[in-house]
Amino acid sequence: CRPSPCAVLGTCAHSLSMPTQDYYPRLAHPGGLALQAQVRKFGTKLLQLLAEWTETFPRDFQEESAIGHLKDVAGRIAPCDEAYRKRMQQLLQALHQRLAALGQGPEGLVGANKPISYRTKPPAAIHRELLGVCSDPYTLAQQLTHVELERLRHVGPEEFVQAFGNKDRLAGSKPCFGDKTNSLEAYVQWFNRLCYLVATEICMPAKKKQRAQVIEFFIDVARECFNIGNFNSLMAIISGMNTSPVSRLRKTWAKVKTAKFFILEHQVDPTGNFCNYRTALRGAAHCSLTAHSSREKVVIPFFSLLIKDVYFLHEGCTSRLPNGHVNFEKFLELAKQVGEFITWKQVECPFEQDPSITHYLYTAPVFSEDGLYLASYESESPENQTEKERWKSLRSSVLGKT
């Protein structure tokens, strides 16, 4: 576990033994001059450490106490050198900007996270379909990439540690971090939303020809996401099409050209711990390292699997060895995975944004699970007694009909 920012900065301030109060007048004193020489000796490295820390882990400084300690250190080293003073001023200014950006976050999902129930006559806001907003699969894949990168940017690398690394098995159960993982959780919610949005768009049309058209459209979108390197949207779309309310629409699927869909399913097959996906991800990551165009730099991993990998790495290895030493092998592997994530999330989206499409992706209402099943049964009648009983139950509970 990383030590708290207050503890580290407090140690830094303590090492500069002279207190901040009455500091400036005493610099002329022989003791003050000795301290100036001491600070100049390691000041450059200390500034480099603070710059990288505040840039990579700005959330560490969200609390006033941490900012106070940082300013304390700044007050001790800035008077020793004009260059130090200017650098600390720039560092604090950049940190405040990052914290302000974190506070804003991406466009919210207010009102969109909560699924709605199915209605026989959807209101206008629901009746408006995605194909009416965007009918080009490549364009939608580009806009999904915009959304993914925007949300990824707000996930701090320290959230992985805070999510799973808050307990040291050999040191007892006292947590080292709080549960500040809002951006990480919001990104997982976005995946679930996209999955339900795909299923909703497929189940909504009344005619199977239209439903088949929507399925084929999403197959093409998923293929374009794969080509771009947007594996998170790819997984969400395939998951949406594989939900039970969609997969049971046999008459609809009979009208779909499924060859491309089976190829994509093969790519996301969970067999062998997602062996095919991991191979494709490694290929995309390699291309990103040697890419000359921003278009080829995009790598958006299947986020839920990335979290799962970090979780099992943490659970499978203790943070400390039996002799009490830190398990560096574990933390090096963790640093490798999180380091790749940092590189990927910093890529600028190479596609022009279409606000009307991204707004729809964020705000279009989606059906709840019961709503999806009811829409599916209304589109294609139940095939067995179990489905018939569930259909009757849903009509009674959701629509108030018998």
Side-chain angles (χ1 to χ4, degrees), residues 78-356:
C80 296
D81 191 294
E82 179 64 17
Y84 291 173
R85 185 189 66 78
K86 289 182 179 179
R87 185 70 188 93
M88 284 301 303
Q89 190 175 9
Q90 293 170 354
L91 186 151
L92 288 169
Q93 202 169 26
L95 176 60
H96 282 300
Q97 290 174 352
R98 291 189 189 95
L99 291 175
L102 289 175
Q104 293 172 358
E107 181 180 355
L109 298 178
V110 179
N113 276 333
K114 187 176 181 181
I116 60 170
S117 297
Y118 174 79
R119 304 177 189 180
T120 50
K121 294 183 179 180
I126 302 174
H127 190 67
R128 188 174 63 127
E129 298 171 351
L130 181 57
L131 277 171
V133 179
C134 177
S135 59
D136 178 36
Y138 186 52
T139 300
L140 182 58
Q142 290 179 337
Q143 298 311 303
L144 285 169
T145 303
H146 251 293
V147 174
E148 297 282 357
L149 287 173
E150 176 64 20
R151 300 197 75 82
L152 266 184
R153 235 172 248 119
H154 288 80
V155 179
E158 71 279 5
E159 292 194 50
F160 290 95
V161 182
Q162 291 169 342
F164 309 119
N166 60 353
K167 183 185 291 187
D168 188 332
R169 296 177 185 173
L170 297 181
S173 59
K174 184 178 180 181
C176 300
F177 296 97
D179 54 348
K180 299 177 182 178
T181 57
N182 293 338
S183 298
L184 187 150
E185 292 170 7
Y187 192 50
V188 173
Q189 288 176 2
W190 154 250
F191 178 93
N192 295 333
R193 168 173 171 74
L194 180 56
C195 175
Y196 272 81
L197 178 62
V198 169
T200 299
E201 294 288 333
I202 294 172
C203 290
M204 264 199 309
K207 297 181 179 180
K208 59 177 175 287
K209 182 180 179 181
Q210 293 175 316
R211 293 194 297 274
Q213 182 184 6
V214 175
I215 290 176
E216 290 185 340
F217 173 73
F218 276 119
I219 291 173
D220 289 336
V221 174
R223 185 178 62 173
E224 294 300 340
C225 285
F226 178 83
N227 293 335
I228 289 172
N230 181 358
F231 297 105
N232 201 56
S233 290
L234 164 69
M235 290 286 190
I237 293 170
I238 299 299
S239 297
M241 289 193 287
N242 278 329
T243 56
S244 296
V246 175
S247 60
R248 66 165 298 277
L249 298 173
R250 301 183 189 280
K251 295 177 182 177
T252 300
W253 280 97
K255 290 185 169 291
V256 176
K257 298 175 183 177
T258 55
K260 290 184 290 186
F261 178 68
F262 292 147
I263 293 173
L264 291 171
E265 273 198 317
H266 177 71
Q267 290 294 336
V268 301
D269 186 357
T271 303
N273 194 18
F274 290 91
C275 177
N276 296 334
Y277 157 73
R278 292 183 189 277
T279 302
L281 179 66
R282 283 195 299 270
H286 178 73
C287 290
S288 177
L289 290 174
T290 58
H292 297 291
S293 68
S294 56
R295 162 68 179 77
E296 297 172 324
K297 290 183 180 294
V298 176
V299 180
I300 303 173
F302 176 26
F303 196 64
S304 295
L305 187 59
L306 176 62
I307 293 175
K308 180 182 175 183
D309 288 344
V310 174
Y311 171 78
F312 281 111
L313 175 62
H314 175 71
E315 288 296 305
C317 305
T318 57
S319 298
R320 294 182 183 275
L321 300 173
N323 62 3
H325 293 175
V326 174
N327 186 350
F328 280 102
E329 186 176 348
K330 167 187 173 176
F331 286 108
L332 284 173
E333 182 62 30
L334 180 61
K336 179 184 176 183
Q337 293 195 14
V338 177
E340 284 183 331
F341 166 77
I342 293 174
T343 301
W344 296 334
K345 84 188 191 85
Q346 289 175 341
V347 172
E348 290 294 327
C349 187
F351 309 117
E352 185 177 349
Q353 186 174 17
D354 187 325
S356 63

Side-chain angles (χ1 to χ4, degrees), residues 46-108:
L46 178 59
L47 284 170
Q48 182 182 354
L49 168 65
L50 293 176
E52 291 184 9
W53 190 356
T54 54
E55 181 178 349
T56 308
F57 301 104
R59 286 177 177 81
D60 280 355
F61 300 90
Q62 285 181 314
E63 296 180 3
E64 280 298 322
S65 57
I67 286 286
H69 281 295
L70 182 61
K71 290 180 177 178
D72 186 21
V73 173
R76 293 170 186 269
I77 68 173
C80 296
D81 191 294
E82 179 64 17
Y84 291 173
R85 185 189 66 78
K86 289 182 179 179
R87 185 70 188 93
M88 284 301 303
Q89 190 175 9
Q90 293 170 354
L91 186 151
L92 288 169
Q93 202 169 26
L95 176 60
H96 282 300
Q97 290 174 352
R98 291 189 189 95
L99 291 175
L102 289 175
Q104 293 172 358
E107 181 180 355

